[in-house]
Amino acid sequence: MSSRSVGRNKNKEVCIIYRGIPASSGVAIGKAFLLNRETVEVKEEKISENEVQREILRFKKALDETKKELSKIKEKVAKRIDPDHAKIFEAQILILQDDFINDTVIERIKLNENNAEFVYKKVIDSTIQALSASTDEYLKERILDINAVASRLIYNLLGIKHLTLESIDSPVILIARNLSPADVVHMKKESILGFATDAGGGTSHVALLAKSMEIPAVVGLKNFFDQVQSDQSLILDGTRGELIICPDEETLKEFEKRRKYIIKRTAELSELKLLPAETFDKRRIELSANIELPQDTDSALEYGAEGIGLFRTEYLYLAQSDLPSEKEQYQAYQEVADKVYPKSAILRTFDLGGDKFDGHTGSLYETNPFLGWRAIRACLDLPEIFKIQLRAMLKASIKKNIKIMFPMISQVEELKKAKALLEEVKDELRDKKIPFDENIEVGIMVEIPSAALSADSLAKESNFFSIGTNDLIQYTLAVDRGNERIAHLYQGFHPGVLKLIKQTIDAGHRNGIWVGLCGEMAGDPLATVLLVGMGVDELSTSAMAIPEIKKIIRSITFEEAQRLAEQVLNLSTIDEIKKVLIEDYAEKFGKG
Ligand code: PEP
Ligand code: MG
C-alpha cells in the first residue's frame, strides 16, 4: 500500500490518499465501519479470594458452551460434507477436554487470583510456544487448532458474539483486515456502500463477488485497517483502487467530476446493449456474463449479456452456509435457464475449496488449499453430493439451453470419471421417465497448466472449453491469486500464460469445439483485442464490464486483432507485451 498526504479538510483533519488493488469499480462516500473480529484484547484483572469459585464456574461454563458449538459444527460438516472432515472438529473438542490445560487454568485462577480469560490465554500461549519449538510437524500443525479453539472460548468468556455482516443496517464503508466470500454474500447492498480489505488480490473470490454484486471495493491495502478510525469520512474509489481519508474540498470536487464522468460513460455504453459483439469484418464473439447467484441474471441481461458463460454454483452453498438440496438447486438452475431463454447458461459444478470454504461450517484446514481438495476433486470423492447436483442440472435442461461445465480438470481421467457419473444420473432419470436434454453439451474449465498442455486429448472428450485465467495465471506462475504481498507477480500478460491460452484455443479448434474465456482477463479492456486476435469464440465476464468490451470489439477488425496477437506472442517479456498493448489501445481509443 502506498499513501500520500494531500492537505487538510475544513475541520483541519489531514486528508490522506491510500492506494491498494482495484477489486470492483465504482465510488462510494461515507463513514468508516471497522470490522474488528480477529483481535480481542484480553486484560489482566485481579479478583478477590471469594470470587475465585465464581471465576472457575465461569470458565467451566465457557468450556461447555464452546463444546456445544463445536459439536454442532461437527455434525453439520459430517452430514453435509463428509465424516473425515468432521474429524477436525472432533480434534478441537479434544483440545477443550485436555485435562492438563484445564487443570492448570483452574489451579492458576486459585493461586494468582486472576480473571479466567487472562489465565487461559497465558496457558494457551505457553502451550503454543512449546509446540512451536518442536521439530514434529504433526504437533506444529495442532497450533492452528489450538488457536481456533482458544479464540472461540475467549469470545465466549467475554460474551462477544461473532458479528455477521447482515446485522449492519446503516450505510457505511466497511473496513476489514480480511473477508471471506461468504461474508460478501451476506452483505446488504443498501448498508455496505463499499468495502476495503488489507488482504486479498484483484481476482480473489471476494473481489469477483464484489464486482458481481456491484459493490465498489479495494483490496490488498496491507495495513490500512490500523490507519483508519470508526466513523471517519471516507471516499472509496474501486476503479482506481484508492481510499481517501477525511477528503478536503478539492478532493471532493475531483471526485464529483469523476462520478459524473462515470454516469455519462455508462449511459453512452448502454446504447450498445442490443447490438452484437462483432468486429467490422463480421467476426462474431459471444459476450456472456459470469454470475454467482440466480438473481444476478437480471443485471447480466440488463448490461447486454448474450447468455451466462459461467454460473459459479458453489455460491448457492456459500449464501446459505449449507449444501442446497436437489430441489433448491433445481429451482436455482431453472430460474437462470428461464431468465436467459432462448440464450443459454453454462452451469459449472461446485468449485468449493481454495478460498471458498470458509463460512459458517468452519474452515477445513489444509496447508495448501489452492492445491488441495477442491472443485472436481472433492466432487469425485463425494459422488452422492455430486450426483444430486448433476440431477438438478439435467432436470433444469429441458428447454435445451443449459450446458454443464466441470472445474479444475487436470487430467483426462478426471473428465472421464465425471462424465461417467453424469451418464449414471442420465440413466436413472431415463428409468424414471424424467425428461432432460439428451444432447446437453458438457465442457470443462481449462485453468490448470496440465489441462492446457493436454488440450488436444481433453477436447476429444469435451463439447467446449472455457479458459479460467484467474486460476491459470496463479497455477502457471505459482502466485496465489489472493495474496496481496505477491500481487505484483500475478501477471496475465506473462508470455507463458499467453502461450497456454493460445495453445488451448488452437487445440479446441483443431478438434472442432468452441473455446471461451471466463476469467477476469475477459473483462480487461487491455486484453480484448489480443484475445479476439488469438481466436477466442466467447468471452464471459462480470456484467458491468460487458458494454466496454463490446465497444472495443465493435471498433476493430479481426484482421488487425490477429496481427496484434501474432506480434505479442513473439515477445518475451511482460513489460514489452504491456507496452505494445497500451500503445495499441491508446492509438485506437485514446489515452486514459
Ligand atoms: C477462473 O479460474 O478463471 C474462473 C473463472 O473460475 P474462479 O474464478 O471461480 O476460480
Ligand atoms: Mg477457477
Side-chain angles (χ1 to χ4, degrees):
M1 176 184 72
S2 64
S3 67
R4 68 193 156 95
S5 163
V6 285
R8 288 177 185 268
N9 65 13
K10 64 176 188 294
N11 302 327
K12 302 270 177 280
E13 293 158 318
V14 185
C15 168
I16 308 175
I17 302 184
Y18 291 86
R19 177 161 275 234
I21 302 169
S24 171
S25 51
V27 279
I29 312 179
K31 301 265 181 218
F33 180 100
L34 267 61
L35 185 69
N36 201 349
R37 262 181 190 161
E38 305 102 279
T39 45
V40 257
E41 209 188 334
V42 176
K43 291 199 187 112
E44 176 176 9
E45 277 166 30
K46 277 283 166 200
I47 54 170
S48 62
E49 202 184 326
N50 51 19
E51 285 172 326
V52 164
Q53 278 318 314
R54 189 207 61 190
E55 204 59 16
I56 293 172
L57 270 178
R58 210 164 66 79
F59 174 61
K60 289 186 175 165
K61 194 168 154 253
L63 279 175
D64 272 355
E65 221 177 307
T66 314
K67 195 174 147 201
K68 275 187 200 138
E69 284 173 13
L70 288 171
S71 304
K72 261 197 202 155
I73 298 173
K74 189 187 101 178
E75 274 166 37
K76 209 167 176 180
V77 173
K79 203 166 103 212
R80 298 292 183 178
I81 301 172
D82 84 324
D84 260 7
H85 281 83
K87 284 187 188 142
I88 296 168
F89 300 99
E90 223 165 80
Q92 293 194 355
I93 293 171
L94 286 179
I95 295 169
L96 275 181
Q97 293 169 335
D98 188 303
D99 284 341
F100 177 74
I101 293 180
N102 296 346
D103 292 348
T104 313
V105 172
I106 291 171
E107 275 316 300
R108 291 208 192 152
I109 292 176
K110 283 185 196 159
L111 201 69
N112 303 345
E113 295 180 352
N114 269 134
N115 53 324
E117 50 273 29
F118 178 76
V119 175
Y120 180 70
K121 185 158 187 320
K122 282 244 161 214
V123 174
I124 288 293
D125 285 349
S126 54
T127 311
I128 288 177
Q129 212 174 3
L131 289 178
S132 315
S134 156
T135 48
D136 183 328
E137 281 307 311
Y138 175 80
L139 283 181
K140 276 190 173 169
E141 277 181 21
R142 300 284 64 76
I143 293 176
L144 278 158
D145 284 329
I146 296 176
N147 263 326
V149 171
S151 64
R152 195 174 274 280
L153 188 116
I154 289 172
Y155 263 62
N156 282 334
L157 272 168
L158 294 172
I160 301 173
K161 288 277 161 254
H162 199 73
L163 176 70
T164 67
L165 298 184
E166 277 159 312
S167 59
I168 301 176
D169 48 20
S170 56
V172 290
I173 296 181
L174 184 79
I175 312 295
R177 290 188 201 281
N178 202 357
L179 290 172
S180 71
D183 285 327
V184 187
V185 170
H186 288 98
M187 284 181 186
K188 284 191 287 190
K189 252 182 92 173
E190 320 80 79
S191 41
I192 310 288
L193 304 172
F195 69 82
T197 59
D198 282 358
T203 64
S204 59
H205 287 98
V206 163
L208 301 187
L209 209 48
K211 255 185 214 162
S212 138
M213 291 169 70
E214 298 181 28
I215 299 177
V218 180
V219 298
L221 283 149
K222 293 187 180 149
N223 63 348
F224 180 72
F225 190 88
D226 294 323
Q227 317 298 321
V228 64
Q229 286 158 24
S230 268
D231 280 336
Q232 233 168 3
S233 302
L234 281 183
I235 293 178
L236 181 148
D237 184 334
T239 315
R240 288 186 185 160
E242 285 180 354
L243 269 136
I244 304 155
I245 296 188
C246 302
D248 58 18
E249 288 300 309
E250 208 181 311
T251 316
L252 275 170
K253 255 193 230 153
E254 184 197 326
F255 165 77
E256 268 309 326
K257 219 169 112 191
R258 233 179 106 52
R259 187 156 64 172
K260 281 190 188 138
Y261 169 77
I262 292 173
I263 294 169
K264 187 169 148 253
R265 179 105 182 116
T266 312
E268 270 168 28
L269 290 172
S270 72
E271 287 166 14
L272 300 175
K273 190 177 151 184
L274 298 172
L275 299 173
E278 189 173 71
T279 62
F280 281 129
D281 45 355
K282 302 281 175 230
R283 164 89 182 158
R284 180 81 190 257
I285 307 294
E286 192 161 323
L287 204 46
S288 309
N290 295 348
I291 59 164
E292 276 75 36
L293 290 169
Q295 53 267 40
D296 302 340
T297 315
D298 301 314
S299 117
L301 296 171
E302 201 45 47
Y303 281 101
E306 294 178 273
I308 301 302
L310 167 65
F311 178 6
R312 291 183 166 101
T313 60
E314 58 278 5
Y315 282 90
L316 297 172
Y317 163 80
L318 291 170
Q320 63 179 47
S321 70
D322 229 347
L323 270 185
S325 64
E326 182 181 322
K327 190 171 163 213
E328 285 165 326
Q329 290 188 56
Y330 166 72
Q331 282 166 347
Y333 307 148
Q334 183 71 56
E335 183 181 335
V336 176
D338 283 348
K339 280 183 172 164
V340 293
Y341 187 80
K343 296 165 181 151
S344 59
I346 300 179
L347 311 183
R348 177 175 77 180
T349 58
F350 290 141
D351 180 9
L352 283 164
D355 64 346
K356 283 185 278 188
F357 230 140
D358 204 344
H360 311 269
T361 46
S363 54
L364 305 180
Y365 177 72
E366 285 191 345
T367 321
N368 263 322
F370 275 116
L371 302 182
W373 197 66
R374 182 184 163 184
I376 198 70
R377 301 166 182 184
C379 286
L380 291 176
D381 280 353
L382 305 169
E384 286 319 311
I385 290 178
F386 192 34
K387 281 171 77 175
I388 290 174
Q389 180 169 45
L390 295 174
R391 199 154 44 237
M393 287 180 170
L394 285 171
K395 284 183 179 174
S397 72
I398 42 172
K399 283 187 174 163
K400 303 190 192 305
N401 68 334
I402 291 283
K403 303 182 205 298
I404 295 179
M405 177 158 76
F406 300 126
M408 291 281 293
I409 294 287
S410 67
Q411 44 173 269
V412 178
E413 288 84 340
E414 275 165 343
L415 175 56
K416 285 190 173 165
K417 278 187 202 152
K419 282 173 64 183
L421 285 172
L422 181 65
E423 287 309 313
E424 270 180 36
V425 179
K426 283 183 184 174
D427 281 345
E428 287 162 18
L429 291 180
R430 284 185 197 111
D431 285 350
K432 292 186 182 149
K433 308 246 175 309
I434 298 174
F436 63 91
D437 178 5
E438 287 282 353
N439 298 314
I440 192 161
E441 284 189 29
V442 178
I444 63 162
M445 299 267 315
V446 177
E447 51 185 342
I448 297 180
S450 64
L453 295 165
S454 323
D456 269 305
S457 320
L458 287 166
K460 294 186 173 52
E461 296 288 331
S462 312
N463 296 116
F464 64 90
F465 282 161
S466 188
I467 303 173
T469 45
N470 302 340
D471 278 317
L472 187 62
I473 298 167
Q474 86 162 339
Y475 294 129
T476 305
L477 305 180
V479 177
D480 180 342
R481 65 195 259 191
N483 185 340
E484 65 285 357
R485 275 202 218 162
I486 45 168
H488 59 288
L489 296 174
Y490 185 89
Q491 295 284 351
F493 296 125
H494 187 295
V497 173
L498 296 182
K499 285 195 175 84
L500 289 177
I501 294 175
K502 177 70 176 138
Q503 205 163 318
T504 305
I505 297 171
D506 291 348
H509 290 173
R510 255 195 313 277
N511 291 280
I513 64 170
W514 64 265
V515 182
L517 191 145
C518 63
E520 284 310 281
M521 197 185 259
D524 179 356
L526 210 54
T528 313
V529 185
L530 173 65
L531 294 173
V532 170
M534 281 179 168
V536 83
D537 302 291
E538 180 236 30
L539 291 171
S540 188
T541 181
S542 61
M544 270 197 302
I546 289 176
E548 185 89 46
I549 302 302
K550 191 185 276 186
K551 189 172 167 65
I552 296 175
I553 295 173
R554 291 182 58 82
S555 328
I556 56 168
T557 65
F558 184 40
E559 212 185 320
E560 68 181 310
Q562 281 177 309
R563 271 202 305 276
L564 179 78
E566 202 185 320
Q567 181 190 359
V568 165
L569 286 165
N570 280 314
L571 297 174
S572 47
T573 69
I574 302 167
D575 286 347
E576 284 167 345
I577 293 172
K578 277 191 179 166
K579 187 164 174 277
V580 167
L581 293 178
I582 290 170
E583 279 170 9
D584 183 72
Y585 187 90
E587 200 179 296
K588 291 189 170 79
F589 310 104
K591 289 199 175 128

